[in-house]
Structure formats: structure tokens, C-alpha cells
């Protein structure tokens, strides 16, 4: 299936693995690329050296186009993005920040840039900056979806932007792909669905919990990592979302984060409390959430860990290989399209007879 997305980014299928922390590893990214889609490496938990090693590992596993994701407000994100630009990664996906400098440097070597957006305003701004595509994240998505559901957000952004749109939030099947295309998108990202594949590093315990969950078994709160975030509904997640972190606790946790990032601890903790308390709290929440996310994904520990997941988890009941999943999704889309065409033929025949 060819769309503006496949033509722009040089892939075979309009299917994307987004940059999910601890999940979008080199192995899953390469499996996605080899199956015909676009895989995006998660760099949030990585430092610059680890990002460079991950990029080179992907290139050992595939010769197809791939991308890396950079959440620009996260510590170390600019360094990771700079590494990707030095390595001339084919696609850079940035979010939560201004990416003009990324566009300029990526376009200089023929790379492409995707901006993650959740509002029409952000989409317009991203298009003006020169990006090549938009990853439009609806309310249903895991982690940081917007306030508006995909059903409404995709056509709203299509009205204000001419760029290829990757729809994410609630998609995991051929029917979802066909729905997204009909709404004006050019591809879908299937984070939760790809987290439930054989190549995904998600722990077997967590995969089984996802398989058993319904579409309503998620929480949506801004108290977990400081931004509105969707996660699996568990006792640990409920406790983590109960109330915002106070400033003293934020200072303590930010100090731990600073040590991991080789930042001056006193400057981060005390300076943050006195000068930029909101930034300090955000840093602390991100740091605490990162370890919690890792525990759920890598260790299957849900007594301390929290699993980020989208509402589409309730539609997932198996764990195929990525190439098997993509073949199924495309066949489902063809079958649904044939069904719709048959309905159209019946309706046309009925009108002619009346």
C-alpha cells in the first residue's frame, strides 16, 4: 500500500513503531523496518554514547530506513539528537520542544523530520518550521496523548496541514488503518500493539497482564510524570497518581536524577527549589517515572513499576512476530475495504431499482 507517508519516508507500508521508552529498542526498530514499516528508536533512557551504539546496532540489523525519537524537554535529549544528526539517521522524530535546528541539520544530509503534535496550533507551527510529517497523538494513546480523541483530532489537523500524518492513539489493526486513512491520515503508529510482539522486550508478565486487560483498564493522570499520561490501571499506578509531588520530595528525587546524569546535585536541588521550582518538579517526576516504567517493562515488576499502555490494549489478545502482525494488518485492511466496496455496490444497485 502506497501513501504519501510511504513515498516521503521511503518505506513499504504505512505502519510505524513509535519511540516508546525501554520498548523501541534496536531489535524492535529493526524488525519493524525489515517488515516494511518505520521503526523509531527510543532515546529517553539513553545517554549520547548509548544512543550512538544503538543507532549502529540498528544498522547491523537492517539496511532499511529508521528513525530516532527525541523528547526535547528531557535531560540529555539535545545531546542524543545531535548524535543522531552526526550519524545521519534517516528520520528524526522530536516532541515537546522547538525543532527548527533539527530540521535544518537533517535536511542538509537528506534526512526527514517528524514532529509529534496534539493540537492544531502545534501542527501549524511544526509545518512552518519545515518538518516533513506529523505524528498526531490522540487521547487514547499510551503515555502523552492529547485531550482530543483520534477520531476528531486527525481530521482537525488535516484541515490545517498538508503534511503526511501518522495517526496514533487507538490503532492496532487493519480496520484501524482503514479508519485513519479515511479520516485524512497517511499512516498509523501502533505502539501498544507492537509492544505485544515477539521482538518486543516487554516482560512476559507484563505482556500477559496487557492481554487480560480491557479497553477501560487505564488511568489518565498528570501526577505520574508531570504531564497528562495514560498507563495501565493497577494499584501501584493508582498510588503513583494519587497526588502531585511536593517540592521537598521533588528536590530529593531530582538529586538522585542529577547523580545519574552527572549533573551538580546541589545546583539542581537547591537551585531548582529557589529559582525554578516547576522545572525541578518536572525533572524529578520524569526521573521517578522513568525507573517505574523500566521496572514494569524489563522486570515485570508491578509492585513498584507502572506500565504505560493505550486503550487499544483491550483489543490485543496474542503475541505475533512483527512481520506476521504487519501481514495481518494489511490483509485486514484489504478485507475491510472489499467489504465496504461490496456495501457500496449493493447500495448503488438499490438506488437504481428504486
Amino acid at each position: 500500500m502506497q501513501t504519501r507517508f510511504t513515498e516521503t519516508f521511503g518505506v513499504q507500508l504505512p505502519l510505524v513503531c513509535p519511540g516508546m521508552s525501554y520498548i523501541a529498542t534496536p531489535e524492535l526498530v529493526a524488525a519493524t523496518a525489515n517488515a516494511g514499516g518505520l521503526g523509531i528508536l527510543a532515546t529517553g533512557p539513553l545517554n549520547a554514547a548509548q544512543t550512538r551504539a544503538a543507532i549502529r546496532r540498528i544498522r547491523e540489523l537492517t539496511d532499511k530506513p529508521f528513525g530516532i525519537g527525541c523528547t526535547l524537554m528531557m535531560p540529555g535529549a539535545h545531546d542524543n539528537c545531535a548524535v543522531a544528526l552526526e550519524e545521519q539517521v534517516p528520520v528524526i522524530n522530536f516532541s515537546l520542544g522547538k525543532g527548527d535546528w533539527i530540521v535544518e541539520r537533517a535536511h542538509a544530509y537528506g534526512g526527514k523530520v517528524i514532529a509529534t503534535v496534539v493540537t492544531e496550533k502545534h501542527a501549524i507551527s511544526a509545518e512552518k518550521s519545515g518538518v516533513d510529517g506529523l505524528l498526531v497523538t490522540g487521547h487514547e494513546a499510551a503515555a502523552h496523548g492529547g485531550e482530543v480523541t483520534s477520531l476528531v483530532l486527525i481530521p482537525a489537523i488535516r484541515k490545517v496541514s498538508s503534511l503526511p500524518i501518522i495517526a496514533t492513539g487507538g490503532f492496532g489493526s487493519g480496520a484501524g488503518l482503514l479508519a485513519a486513512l479515511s479520516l485524512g491520515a497517511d499512516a498509523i503508529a501502533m505502539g501498544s500493539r507492537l509492544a505485544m510482539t515477539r521482538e518486543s522486550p516487554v516482560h512476559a508478565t507484563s505482556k500477559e497482564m496487557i492481554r487480560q486487560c480491557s479497553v477501560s483498564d487505564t488511568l489518565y493522570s498528570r501526577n505520574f510524570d508531570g504531564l497528562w499520561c495514560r498507563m495501565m490501571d493497577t494499584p501501584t499506578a493508582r498510588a503513583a497518581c494519587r497526588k502531585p509531588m511536593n517540592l521537598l520530595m521533588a528536590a530529593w528525587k531530582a538529586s538522585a536524577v542529577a547523580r545519574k546524569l552527572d549533573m551538580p546535585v546541589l545546583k539542581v536541588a537547591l537551585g531548582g527549589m529557589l529559582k525554578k521550582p516547576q522545572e525541578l518538579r518536572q525533572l524529578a517526576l520524569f526521573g521517578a517515572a522513568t525507573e517505574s516504567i523500566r521496572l514494569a517493562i524489563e522486570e515485570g515488576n508491578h509492585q513498584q513499576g507502572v506500565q504505560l499502555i493505550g486503550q487499544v490494549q483491550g483489543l490485543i489478545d496474542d503475541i505475533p512476530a512483527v512481520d506476521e502482525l504487519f501481514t495481518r494488518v494489511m490483509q485486514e485492511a484489504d478485507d475491510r475495504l472489499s467489504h465496504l466496496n461490496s456495501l457500496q455496490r449493493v447500495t448503488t444497485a438499490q438506488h437504481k431499482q428504486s
Side-chain angles (χ1 to χ4, degrees):
M1 178 185 288
Q2 294 296 299
T3 69
R4 289 190 307 155
F5 166 79
T6 60
E7 293 169 358
T8 300
F9 295 96
V11 298
Q12 294 176 308
L13 301 175
L15 304 175
V16 176
C17 174
M20 303 169 283
S21 290
Y22 298 107
I23 299 177
T25 58
E27 290 71 25
L28 183 56
V29 169
T32 300
N34 288 331
L38 178 68
I40 299 175
L41 174 73
T43 63
L46 307 180
N47 61 33
Q50 291 168 331
T51 295
R52 195 181 303 277
I55 290 168
R56 294 179 178 179
R57 175 59 178 159
I58 293 169
R59 285 184 162 139
E60 292 175 355
L61 298 172
T62 186
D63 60 358
K64 304 293 193 336
F66 67 94
I68 80 151
C70 295
T71 304
L72 296 178
M73 70 182 297
M74 291 281 284
H78 283 72
D79 292 338
N80 288 339
C81 195
V83 165
L85 292 165
E86 291 169 10
E87 293 286 326
Q88 297 192 1
V89 170
V91 181
I92 312 288
N93 172 211
F94 73 87
S95 61
L96 298 176
K98 294 193 65 175
D100 310 58
W101 61 282
I102 300 171
V103 173
E104 181 179 356
R105 290 184 58 184
H107 284 178
Y109 64 79
K112 304 291 185 181
V113 181
I114 297 169
T116 296
V117 299
V118 297
T119 67
E120 299 101 304
K121 179 181 178 181
H122 292 156
I124 293 169
S125 177
E127 183 162 3
K128 288 180 179 178
S129 75
V131 302
D132 303 284
L134 302 172
L135 196 153
V136 175
T137 310
H139 186 64
E140 306 93 327
H144 307 120
E147 297 181 359
V148 182
T149 63
S150 296
L151 184 65
V152 176
L153 185 61
I154 297 165
I157 289 184
R158 172 50 68 218
K159 286 177 66 176
V160 300
S161 175
S162 61
L163 293 173
I165 287 176
I166 306 160
T168 185
F171 300 103
S173 67
L177 171 60
L178 203 58
L181 295 176
S182 70
L183 291 169
D186 304 279
I188 57 172
M190 305 188 296
S192 296
R193 176 64 271 197
L194 282 158
M196 289 285 283
T197 57
R198 291 178 206 161
E199 294 88 344
S200 162
V202 173
H203 194 278
T205 297
S206 299
K207 285 181 176 176
E208 181 58 22
M209 290 176 68
I210 294 168
R211 194 183 67 79
Q212 293 182 11
C213 284
S214 73
V215 295
S216 60
D217 291 331
T218 67
L219 301 175
Y220 187 66
S221 171
R222 69 182 308 172
N223 292 341
F224 175 58
D225 70 357
L227 301 173
W228 284 103
C229 184
R230 188 175 299 282
M231 66 211 80
M232 184 187 291
D233 186 355
T234 65
T236 303
R238 286 181 175 269
C241 295
R242 193 162 293 136
K243 60 182 180 180
M245 188 181 299
N246 64 53
L247 193 55
L248 288 175
M249 179 61 72
W252 182 79
K253 287 187 175 290
S255 299
V257 176
R259 281 190 289 270
K260 289 183 180 180
L261 297 172
D262 294 324
M263 297 168 65
V265 174
L266 288 177
K267 180 178 180 180
V268 169
L270 297 180
M273 289 181 67
L274 296 174
K275 296 180 180 179
K276 298 181 179 179
Q278 288 307 118
E279 290 184 17
L280 171 68
R281 184 179 283 112
Q282 185 64 70
L283 172 65
L285 286 167
F286 269 142
T290 295
E291 177 61 10
S292 184
I293 293 165
R294 187 197 68 79
L295 286 169
I297 292 170
E298 294 187 349
E299 300 181 15
N301 179 348
H302 291 266
Q303 285 68 51
Q304 297 169 289
V306 171
Q307 179 72 51
L308 305 187
I309 200 74
Q311 291 177 326
V312 75
Q313 70 175 349
L315 304 180
I316 301 170
D317 58 12
D318 67 347
I319 306 173
V322 173
D323 59 350
E324 294 171 359
L325 173 64
F326 282 12
T327 298
R328 180 200 304 173
V329 167
M330 299 312 297
Q331 185 60 57
E332 287 173 351
D334 285 342
D335 291 345
R336 288 300 179 100
L337 184 58
S338 296
H339 177 65
L340 291 174
N341 287 335
S342 67
L343 290 178
Q344 178 63 33
R345 286 193 294 271
V346 170
T347 302
T348 300
Q350 290 174 340
H351 285 165
K352 288 181 179 179
Q353 293 173 1
S354 61

